[in-house]
């Protein structure tokens, strides 16, 4: 445990940021899984699920959770699966 006040604060802040990033990453993965399930089942709300997943991917990129190239790859693969289904 750090002894300096600013170091103690950094520990708390980094834990808060880690929890926030973990929650956002989990939400992102859930949206992608729901979109994949909708694509696999050829559901009527497939387009809405894919649109929501792409929105979540973009939000994660903006927040710095995903690299922009990683996000582009995920979006491309998701849309490709949706179009081929």
């Amino acid at each position: 445990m750090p002894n300096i006040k600013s170091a103690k604060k950094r520990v708390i802040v980094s834990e808060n940021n880690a929890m926030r990033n973990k929650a956002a990453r989990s939400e992102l993965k859930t949206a992608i899984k729901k979109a994949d399930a909708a694509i696999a089942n050829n559901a009527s709300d497939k387009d809405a699920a894919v649109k929501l997943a792409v929105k979540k991917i973009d939000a994660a990129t903006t927040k710095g959770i995903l690299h922009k190239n990683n996000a582009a790859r995920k979006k491309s693969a998701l849309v490709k699966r949706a179009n081929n289904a």
Side-chain angles (χ1 to χ4, degrees), residues 50-64:
V50 169
K51 190 174 182 179
L52 179 68
V54 168
K55 188 175 179 180
K56 298 279 185 191
I57 291 170
D58 287 337
T61 306
T62 303
K63 293 177 184 175

Side-chain angles (χ1 to χ4, degrees), residues 66-83:
L66 287 179
H67 189 272
K68 65 178 184 173
N69 292 350
N70 188 339
R73 187 174 66 246
K74 285 184 187 298
K75 288 193 299 188
S76 174
L78 186 64
V79 171
K80 190 181 289 186
R81 284 194 301 270
N83 289 338

